Amino acid sequence: NAGVTQTPKFQVLKTGQSMTLQCAQDMNHNSMYWYRQDPGMGLRLIYYSASEGTTDKGEVPNGYNVSRLNKREFSLRLESAAPSQTSVYFCASSEFLQSYSNQPQHFGDGTRLSIL
Amino acid sequence: DAKTTQPPSMDCAEGRAANLPCNHSTISGNEYVYWYRQIHSQGPQYIIHGLKNNETNEMASLIITEDRKSSTLILPHATLRDTAVYYCIVRVVGGGADGLTFGKGTHLIIQP
């Protein structure tokens, strides 16, 4: 009963380093999402993938890249980490149908990223 | 997506019903109301959603006013584990697979 799995759970980086956050879901969902959450704030959408082979920018995409590796996996990459990217990162998935889009999103437990 | 307004915090006694209000006065006819909650340090958890009829599931009930400008999430018998931030989100049906817009939510504290 894994749902959405994110790795790693914690990471500390130095400014300028790069890293990739991994996300995998086992619910056969076709849509996946990356959000960030800063202290005391709600989640903000970074990128999303409506289906395998497509990705789109969300509200705060600058400084990030994504790859939808296959239907199960959606990774988020920081090419040159900056202190402003210190945050908690959440991955989510949902079943998206062309005829309607009211299916809920299911979230992982997050990656806590600190950039010094 | 329409904007929502929620009180920043609420208290409720354990065992009582917790009623969390949400105002969405600019909601459109094709927008659903969703509720999620986030227990400390965890990912958001889906609770319930509805369009215009009242909805109930094993976690909660959702009451939407007839004019759809506000709604109330009801946790019928609150427990200490229900302490969390609750988010009310309005989202267009058929608007694509784009993400949810989270506000700051209501921090519900269940008192023993």
PDB file of all heavy atoms in Angstrom, chain A residues 83-114:
ATOM      1  N   PRO A  83      19.967  29.022  -2.009  1.00  0.00           N
ATOM      2  CA  PRO A  83      19.324  29.020  -0.682  1.00  0.00           C
ATOM      3  C   PRO A  83      17.809  29.259  -0.759  1.00  0.00           C
ATOM      4  O   PRO A  83      17.067  28.731   0.083  1.00  0.00           O
ATOM      5  CB  PRO A  83      20.039  30.158   0.042  1.00  0.00           C
ATOM      6  CG  PRO A  83      21.406  30.179  -0.579  1.00  0.00           C
ATOM      7  CD  PRO A  83      21.172  29.875  -2.027  1.00  0.00           C
ATOM      8  N   SER A  84      17.342  30.005  -1.762  1.00  0.00           N
ATOM      9  CA  SER A  84      15.903  30.263  -1.900  1.00  0.00           C
ATOM     10  C   SER A  84      15.109  28.997  -2.234  1.00  0.00           C
ATOM     11  O   SER A  84      13.874  28.995  -2.167  1.00  0.00           O
ATOM     12  CB  SER A  84      15.658  31.315  -2.981  1.00  0.00           C
ATOM     13  OG  SER A  84      16.147  30.850  -4.235  1.00  0.00           O
ATOM     14  N   GLN A  85      15.797  27.942  -2.610  1.00  0.00           N
ATOM     15  CA  GLN A  85      15.130  26.686  -2.914  1.00  0.00           C
ATOM     16  C   GLN A  85      15.038  25.756  -1.696  1.00  0.00           C
ATOM     17  O   GLN A  85      14.541  24.634  -1.810  1.00  0.00           O
ATOM     18  CB  GLN A  85      15.828  25.979  -4.070  1.00  0.00           C
ATOM     19  CG  GLN A  85      15.713  26.742  -5.381  1.00  0.00           C
ATOM     20  CD  GLN A  85      16.464  26.076  -6.515  1.00  0.00           C
ATOM     21  OE1 GLN A  85      17.676  25.813  -6.410  1.00  0.00           O
ATOM     22  NE2 GLN A  85      15.770  25.797  -7.599  1.00  0.00           N
ATOM     23  N   THR A  86      15.492  26.245  -0.556  1.00  0.00           N
ATOM     24  CA  THR A  86      15.282  25.511   0.696  1.00  0.00           C
ATOM     25  C   THR A  86      13.790  25.418   0.946  1.00  0.00           C
ATOM     26  O   THR A  86      13.097  26.449   1.025  1.00  0.00           O
ATOM     27  CB  THR A  86      15.969  26.223   1.864  1.00  0.00           C
ATOM     28  OG1 THR A  86      17.390  26.158   1.683  1.00  0.00           O
ATOM     29  CG2 THR A  86      15.590  25.577   3.188  1.00  0.00           C
ATOM     30  N   SER A  87      13.271  24.204   1.054  1.00  0.00           N
ATOM     31  CA  SER A  87      11.831  24.019   1.134  1.00  0.00           C
ATOM     32  C   SER A  87      11.530  22.550   1.383  1.00  0.00           C
ATOM     33  O   SER A  87      12.436  21.713   1.425  1.00  0.00           O
ATOM     34  CB  SER A  87      11.167  24.475  -0.182  1.00  0.00           C
ATOM     35  OG  SER A  87       9.774  24.557  -0.053  1.00  0.00           O
ATOM     36  N   VAL A  88      10.258  22.247   1.543  1.00  0.00           N
ATOM     37  CA  VAL A  88       9.804  20.867   1.535  1.00  0.00           C
ATOM     38  C   VAL A  88       9.121  20.619   0.189  1.00  0.00           C
ATOM     39  O   VAL A  88       8.251  21.392  -0.213  1.00  0.00           O
ATOM     40  CB  VAL A  88       8.829  20.557   2.684  1.00  0.00           C
ATOM     41  CG1 VAL A  88       8.423  19.088   2.647  1.00  0.00           C
ATOM     42  CG2 VAL A  88       9.450  20.911   4.032  1.00  0.00           C
ATOM     43  N   TYR A  89       9.538  19.568  -0.486  1.00  0.00           N
ATOM     44  CA  TYR A  89       9.037  19.266  -1.821  1.00  0.00           C
ATOM     45  C   TYR A  89       8.100  18.057  -1.764  1.00  0.00           C
ATOM     46  O   TYR A  89       8.456  17.010  -1.215  1.00  0.00           O
ATOM     47  CB  TYR A  89      10.203  18.991  -2.767  1.00  0.00           C
ATOM     48  CG  TYR A  89      11.008  20.226  -3.047  1.00  0.00           C
ATOM     49  CD1 TYR A  89      12.012  20.648  -2.170  1.00  0.00           C
ATOM     50  CD2 TYR A  89      10.743  21.013  -4.162  1.00  0.00           C
ATOM     51  CE1 TYR A  89      12.729  21.806  -2.416  1.00  0.00           C
ATOM     52  CE2 TYR A  89      11.457  22.163  -4.418  1.00  0.00           C
ATOM     53  CZ  TYR A  89      12.452  22.554  -3.532  1.00  0.00           C
ATOM     54  OH  TYR A  89      13.150  23.714  -3.772  1.00  0.00           O
ATOM     55  N   PHE A  90       6.905  18.235  -2.334  1.00  0.00           N
ATOM     56  CA  PHE A  90       5.921  17.170  -2.354  1.00  0.00           C
ATOM     57  C   PHE A  90       5.616  16.768  -3.791  1.00  0.00           C
ATOM     58  O   PHE A  90       5.430  17.617  -4.667  1.00  0.00           O
ATOM     59  CB  PHE A  90       4.621  17.608  -1.677  1.00  0.00           C
ATOM     60  CG  PHE A  90       4.724  17.780  -0.200  1.00  0.00           C
ATOM     61  CD1 PHE A  90       4.867  19.037   0.358  1.00  0.00           C
ATOM     62  CD2 PHE A  90       4.667  16.682   0.636  1.00  0.00           C
ATOM     63  CE1 PHE A  90       4.975  19.205   1.727  1.00  0.00           C
ATOM     64  CE2 PHE A  90       4.764  16.835   2.009  1.00  0.00           C
ATOM     65  CZ  PHE A  90       4.914  18.098   2.555  1.00  0.00           C
ATOM     66  N   CYS A  91       5.525  15.469  -3.979  1.00  0.00           N
ATOM     67  CA  CYS A  91       5.088  14.896  -5.244  1.00  0.00           C
ATOM     68  C   CYS A  91       3.662  14.384  -5.064  1.00  0.00           C
ATOM     69  O   CYS A  91       3.285  13.945  -3.964  1.00  0.00           O
ATOM     70  CB  CYS A  91       6.027  13.755  -5.640  1.00  0.00           C
ATOM     71  SG  CYS A  91       5.585  12.902  -7.160  1.00  0.00           S
ATOM     72  N   ALA A  92       2.861  14.463  -6.117  1.00  0.00           N
ATOM     73  CA  ALA A  92       1.481  13.976  -6.060  1.00  0.00           C
ATOM     74  C   ALA A  92       1.126  13.313  -7.382  1.00  0.00           C
ATOM     75  O   ALA A  92       1.782  13.541  -8.408  1.00  0.00           O
ATOM     76  CB  ALA A  92       0.514  15.117  -5.765  1.00  0.00           C
ATOM     77  N   SER A  93       0.079  12.497  -7.343  1.00  0.00           N
ATOM     78  CA  SER A  93      -0.420  11.882  -8.567  1.00  0.00           C
ATOM     79  C   SER A  93      -1.939  11.862  -8.532  1.00  0.00           C
ATOM     80  O   SER A  93      -2.553  11.938  -7.466  1.00  0.00           O
ATOM     81  CB  SER A  93       0.132  10.469  -8.739  1.00  0.00           C
ATOM     82  OG  SER A  93      -0.431   9.579  -7.785  1.00  0.00           O
ATOM     83  N   SER A  94      -2.536  11.782  -9.713  1.00  0.00           N
ATOM     84  CA  SER A  94      -3.992  11.646  -9.800  1.00  0.00           C
ATOM     85  C   SER A  94      -4.360  10.994 -11.114  1.00  0.00           C
ATOM     86  O   SER A  94      -3.565  10.946 -12.058  1.00  0.00           O
ATOM     87  CB  SER A  94      -4.686  13.000  -9.668  1.00  0.00           C
ATOM     88  OG  SER A  94      -4.477  13.788 -10.815  1.00  0.00           O
ATOM     89  N   GLU A  95      -5.591  10.526 -11.155  1.00  0.00           N
ATOM     90  CA  GLU A  95      -6.117   9.952 -12.368  1.00  0.00           C
ATOM     91  C   GLU A  95      -6.780  11.081 -13.141  1.00  0.00           C
ATOM     92  O   GLU A  95      -7.753  11.665 -12.688  1.00  0.00           O
ATOM     93  CB  GLU A  95      -7.131   8.849 -12.052  1.00  0.00           C
ATOM     94  CG  GLU A  95      -7.697   8.172 -13.271  1.00  0.00           C
ATOM     95  CD  GLU A  95      -6.648   7.407 -14.062  1.00  0.00           C
ATOM     96  OE1 GLU A  95      -5.582   7.079 -13.508  1.00  0.00           O
ATOM     97  OE2 GLU A  95      -6.893   7.119 -15.246  1.00  0.00           O
ATOM     98  N   PHE A  96      -6.253  11.421 -14.284  1.00  0.00           N
ATOM     99  CA  PHE A  96      -6.834  12.496 -15.086  1.00  0.00           C
ATOM    100  C   PHE A  96      -7.539  11.895 -16.279  1.00  0.00           C
ATOM    101  O   PHE A  96      -6.968  11.123 -17.027  1.00  0.00           O
ATOM    102  CB  PHE A  96      -5.752  13.457 -15.554  1.00  0.00           C
ATOM    103  CG  PHE A  96      -6.266  14.495 -16.530  1.00  0.00           C
ATOM    104  CD1 PHE A  96      -7.174  15.457 -16.114  1.00  0.00           C
ATOM    105  CD2 PHE A  96      -5.855  14.498 -17.839  1.00  0.00           C
ATOM    106  CE1 PHE A  96      -7.654  16.408 -16.996  1.00  0.00           C
ATOM    107  CE2 PHE A  96      -6.324  15.446 -18.733  1.00  0.00           C
ATOM    108  CZ  PHE A  96      -7.223  16.401 -18.312  1.00  0.00           C
ATOM    109  N   LEU A  97      -8.795  12.285 -16.453  1.00  0.00           N
ATOM    110  CA  LEU A  97      -9.577  11.828 -17.588  1.00  0.00           C
ATOM    111  C   LEU A  97      -9.967  13.020 -18.434  1.00  0.00           C
ATOM    112  O   LEU A  97     -10.308  14.074 -17.904  1.00  0.00           O
ATOM    113  CB  LEU A  97     -10.833  11.096 -17.110  1.00  0.00           C
ATOM    114  CG  LEU A  97     -10.583   9.894 -16.186  1.00  0.00           C
ATOM    115  CD1 LEU A  97     -11.884   9.360 -15.636  1.00  0.00           C
ATOM    116  CD2 LEU A  97      -9.838   8.812 -16.960  1.00  0.00           C
ATOM    117  N   GLN A  98      -9.914  12.895 -19.735  1.00  0.00           N
ATOM    118  CA  GLN A  98     -10.174  14.025 -20.612  1.00  0.00           C
ATOM    119  C   GLN A  98     -11.563  14.608 -20.406  1.00  0.00           C
ATOM    120  O   GLN A  98     -11.779  15.803 -20.530  1.00  0.00           O
ATOM    121  CB  GLN A  98     -10.005  13.607 -22.077  1.00  0.00           C
ATOM    122  CG  GLN A  98      -8.580  13.547 -22.553  1.00  0.00           C
ATOM    123  CD  GLN A  98      -7.851  14.889 -22.433  1.00  0.00           C
ATOM    124  OE1 GLN A  98      -6.767  14.960 -21.894  1.00  0.00           O
ATOM    125  NE2 GLN A  98      -8.455  15.950 -22.910  1.00  0.00           N
ATOM    126  N   SER A  99     -12.519  13.735 -20.086  1.00  0.00           N
ATOM    127  CA  SER A  99     -13.904  14.198 -20.019  1.00  0.00           C
ATOM    128  C   SER A  99     -14.174  15.026 -18.771  1.00  0.00           C
ATOM    129  O   SER A  99     -15.042  15.874 -18.748  1.00  0.00           O
ATOM    130  CB  SER A  99     -14.858  13.012 -20.076  1.00  0.00           C
ATOM    131  OG  SER A  99     -14.542  12.097 -19.041  1.00  0.00           O
ATOM    132  N   TYR A 100     -13.415  14.788 -17.719  1.00  0.00           N
ATOM    133  CA  TYR A 100     -13.562  15.576 -16.507  1.00  0.00           C
ATOM    134  C   TYR A 100     -12.304  15.403 -15.677  1.00  0.00           C
ATOM    135  O   TYR A 100     -11.530  14.476 -15.895  1.00  0.00           O
ATOM    136  CB  TYR A 100     -14.796  15.164 -15.710  1.00  0.00           C
ATOM    137  CG  TYR A 100     -14.785  13.735 -15.229  1.00  0.00           C
ATOM    138  CD1 TYR A 100     -14.344  13.399 -13.961  1.00  0.00           C
ATOM    139  CD2 TYR A 100     -15.243  12.728 -16.058  1.00  0.00           C
ATOM    140  CE1 TYR A 100     -14.338  12.093 -13.524  1.00  0.00           C
ATOM    141  CE2 TYR A 100     -15.230  11.412 -15.627  1.00  0.00           C
ATOM    142  CZ  TYR A 100     -14.787  11.105 -14.365  1.00  0.00           C
ATOM    143  OH  TYR A 100     -14.782   9.803 -13.951  1.00  0.00           O
ATOM    144  N   SER A 101     -12.099  16.289 -14.730  1.00  0.00           N
ATOM    145  CA  SER A 101     -10.834  16.258 -13.989  1.00  0.00           C
ATOM    146  C   SER A 101     -11.080  16.463 -12.506  1.00  0.00           C
ATOM    147  O   SER A 101     -10.412  17.253 -11.870  1.00  0.00           O
ATOM    148  CB  SER A 101      -9.885  17.307 -14.521  1.00  0.00           C
ATOM    149  OG  SER A 101     -10.462  18.589 -14.399  1.00  0.00           O
ATOM    150  N   ASN A 102     -12.092  15.777 -11.935  1.00  0.00           N
ATOM    151  CA  ASN A 102     -12.379  16.000 -10.529  1.00  0.00           C
ATOM    152  C   ASN A 102     -11.743  14.969  -9.621  1.00  0.00           C
ATOM    153  O   ASN A 102     -12.078  14.891  -8.460  1.00  0.00           O
ATOM    154  CB  ASN A 102     -13.888  16.018 -10.303  1.00  0.00           C
ATOM    155  CG  ASN A 102     -14.501  14.644 -10.544  1.00  0.00           C
ATOM    156  OD1 ASN A 102     -13.897  13.794 -11.177  1.00  0.00           O
ATOM    157  ND2 ASN A 102     -15.683  14.437 -10.040  1.00  0.00           N
ATOM    158  N   GLN A 103     -10.842  14.159 -10.140  1.00  0.00           N
ATOM    159  CA  GLN A 103     -10.221  13.145  -9.297  1.00  0.00           C
ATOM    160  C   GLN A 103      -9.228  13.772  -8.328  1.00  0.00           C
ATOM    161  O   GLN A 103      -8.491  14.681  -8.686  1.00  0.00           O
ATOM    162  CB  GLN A 103      -9.517  12.094 -10.165  1.00  0.00           C
ATOM    163  CG  GLN A 103     -10.465  11.355 -11.083  1.00  0.00           C
ATOM    164  CD  GLN A 103     -11.586  10.701 -10.302  1.00  0.00           C
ATOM    165  OE1 GLN A 103     -11.333   9.865  -9.438  1.00  0.00           O
ATOM    166  NE2 GLN A 103     -12.812  11.080 -10.591  1.00  0.00           N
ATOM    167  N   PRO A 104      -9.193  13.305  -7.068  1.00  0.00           N
ATOM    168  CA  PRO A 104      -8.301  13.911  -6.082  1.00  0.00           C
ATOM    169  C   PRO A 104      -6.846  13.566  -6.347  1.00  0.00           C
ATOM    170  O   PRO A 104      -6.536  12.602  -7.029  1.00  0.00           O
ATOM    171  CB  PRO A 104      -8.781  13.292  -4.762  1.00  0.00           C
ATOM    172  CG  PRO A 104      -9.393  11.990  -5.159  1.00  0.00           C
ATOM    173  CD  PRO A 104     -10.022  12.236  -6.493  1.00  0.00           C
ATOM    174  N   GLN A 105      -5.962  14.374  -5.789  1.00  0.00           N
ATOM    175  CA  GLN A 105      -4.536  14.105  -5.861  1.00  0.00           C
ATOM    176  C   GLN A 105      -4.099  13.381  -4.585  1.00  0.00           C
ATOM    177  O   GLN A 105      -4.601  13.642  -3.502  1.00  0.00           O
ATOM    178  CB  GLN A 105      -3.759  15.407  -6.037  1.00  0.00           C
ATOM    179  CG  GLN A 105      -4.050  16.067  -7.371  1.00  0.00           C
ATOM    180  CD  GLN A 105      -3.203  17.290  -7.631  1.00  0.00           C
ATOM    181  OE1 GLN A 105      -2.213  17.563  -6.949  1.00  0.00           O
ATOM    182  NE2 GLN A 105      -3.580  18.053  -8.648  1.00  0.00           N
ATOM    183  N   HIS A 106      -3.130  12.495  -4.765  1.00  0.00           N
ATOM    184  CA  HIS A 106      -2.572  11.730  -3.657  1.00  0.00           C
ATOM    185  C   HIS A 106      -1.110  12.138  -3.512  1.00  0.00           C
ATOM    186  O   HIS A 106      -0.367  12.117  -4.491  1.00  0.00           O
ATOM    187  CB  HIS A 106      -2.688  10.236  -3.928  1.00  0.00           C
ATOM    188  CG  HIS A 106      -4.104   9.781  -4.110  1.00  0.00           C
ATOM    189  ND1 HIS A 106      -4.854   9.267  -3.084  1.00  0.00           N
ATOM    190  CD2 HIS A 106      -4.912   9.811  -5.190  1.00  0.00           C
ATOM    191  CE1 HIS A 106      -6.068   8.981  -3.534  1.00  0.00           C
ATOM    192  NE2 HIS A 106      -6.125   9.302  -4.805  1.00  0.00           N
ATOM    193  N   PHE A 107      -0.709  12.457  -2.293  1.00  0.00           N
ATOM    194  CA  PHE A 107       0.595  13.046  -2.052  1.00  0.00           C
ATOM    195  C   PHE A 107       1.552  12.085  -1.357  1.00  0.00           C
ATOM    196  O   PHE A 107       1.136  11.238  -0.554  1.00  0.00           O
ATOM    197  CB  PHE A 107       0.454  14.294  -1.169  1.00  0.00           C
ATOM    198  CG  PHE A 107      -0.161  15.465  -1.877  1.00  0.00           C
ATOM    199  CD1 PHE A 107      -1.530  15.555  -2.044  1.00  0.00           C
ATOM    200  CD2 PHE A 107       0.640  16.490  -2.384  1.00  0.00           C
ATOM    201  CE1 PHE A 107      -2.104  16.630  -2.703  1.00  0.00           C
ATOM    202  CE2 PHE A 107       0.079  17.572  -3.039  1.00  0.00           C
ATOM    203  CZ  PHE A 107      -1.289  17.635  -3.200  1.00  0.00           C
ATOM    204  N   GLY A 108       2.840  12.278  -1.660  1.00  0.00           N
ATOM    205  CA  GLY A 108       3.885  11.631  -0.888  1.00  0.00           C
ATOM    206  C   GLY A 108       4.160  12.394   0.398  1.00  0.00           C
ATOM    207  O   GLY A 108       3.547  13.427   0.658  1.00  0.00           O
ATOM    208  N   ASP A 109       5.094  11.885   1.183  1.00  0.00           N
ATOM    209  CA  ASP A 109       5.403  12.504   2.477  1.00  0.00           C
ATOM    210  C   ASP A 109       6.491  13.558   2.404  1.00  0.00           C
ATOM    211  O   ASP A 109       6.896  14.098   3.433  1.00  0.00           O
ATOM    212  CB  ASP A 109       5.779  11.433   3.495  1.00  0.00           C
ATOM    213  CG  ASP A 109       4.545  10.737   4.052  1.00  0.00           C
ATOM    214  OD1 ASP A 109       3.460  11.358   4.048  1.00  0.00           O
ATOM    215  OD2 ASP A 109       4.662   9.572   4.474  1.00  0.00           O
ATOM    216  N   GLY A 110       6.989  13.848   1.240  1.00  0.00           N
ATOM    217  CA  GLY A 110       7.859  14.997   1.065  1.00  0.00           C
ATOM    218  C   GLY A 110       9.346  14.720   1.178  1.00  0.00           C
ATOM    219  O   GLY A 110       9.777  13.727   1.772  1.00  0.00           O
ATOM    220  N   THR A 111      10.120  15.635   0.581  1.00  0.00           N
ATOM    221  CA  THR A 111      11.578  15.668   0.726  1.00  0.00           C
ATOM    222  C   THR A 111      11.940  17.005   1.341  1.00  0.00           C
ATOM    223  O   THR A 111      11.573  18.055   0.793  1.00  0.00           O
ATOM    224  CB  THR A 111      12.279  15.530  -0.635  1.00  0.00           C
ATOM    225  OG1 THR A 111      12.048  14.237  -1.180  1.00  0.00           O
ATOM    226  CG2 THR A 111      13.783  15.750  -0.487  1.00  0.00           C
ATOM    227  N   ARG A 112      12.616  16.972   2.471  1.00  0.00           N
ATOM    228  CA  ARG A 112      13.032  18.196   3.147  1.00  0.00           C
ATOM    229  C   ARG A 112      14.422  18.575   2.679  1.00  0.00           C
ATOM    230  O   ARG A 112      15.372  17.856   2.974  1.00  0.00           O
ATOM    231  CB  ARG A 112      12.975  18.017   4.661  1.00  0.00           C
ATOM    232  CG  ARG A 112      11.542  18.106   5.176  1.00  0.00           C
ATOM    233  CD  ARG A 112      11.235  17.143   6.294  1.00  0.00           C
ATOM    234  NE  ARG A 112       9.795  17.175   6.577  1.00  0.00           N
ATOM    235  CZ  ARG A 112       8.872  16.497   5.879  1.00  0.00           C
ATOM    236  NH1 ARG A 112       9.239  15.689   4.882  1.00  0.00           N
ATOM    237  NH2 ARG A 112       7.596  16.607   6.172  1.00  0.00           N
ATOM    238  N   LEU A 113      14.521  19.673   1.955  1.00  0.00           N
ATOM    239  CA  LEU A 113      15.760  20.075   1.304  1.00  0.00           C
ATOM    240  C   LEU A 113      16.265  21.379   1.904  1.00  0.00           C
ATOM    241  O   LEU A 113      15.514  22.351   1.961  1.00  0.00           O
ATOM    242  CB  LEU A 113      15.508  20.235  -0.195  1.00  0.00           C
ATOM    243  CG  LEU A 113      16.692  20.607  -1.061  1.00  0.00           C
ATOM    244  CD1 LEU A 113      17.772  19.528  -0.999  1.00  0.00           C
ATOM    245  CD2 LEU A 113      16.250  20.816  -2.506  1.00  0.00           C
ATOM    246  N   SER A 114      17.507  21.343   2.367  1.00  0.00           N
ATOM    247  CA  SER A 114      18.153  22.555   2.891  1.00  0.00           C
ATOM    248  C   SER A 114      19.362  22.867   2.029  1.00  0.00           C
ATOM    249  O   SER A 114      20.172  21.982   1.740  1.00  0.00           O
ATOM    250  CB  SER A 114      18.606  22.352   4.337  1.00  0.00           C
ATOM    251  OG  SER A 114      17.504  22.221   5.191  1.00  0.00           O
TER     252      SER A 114
END
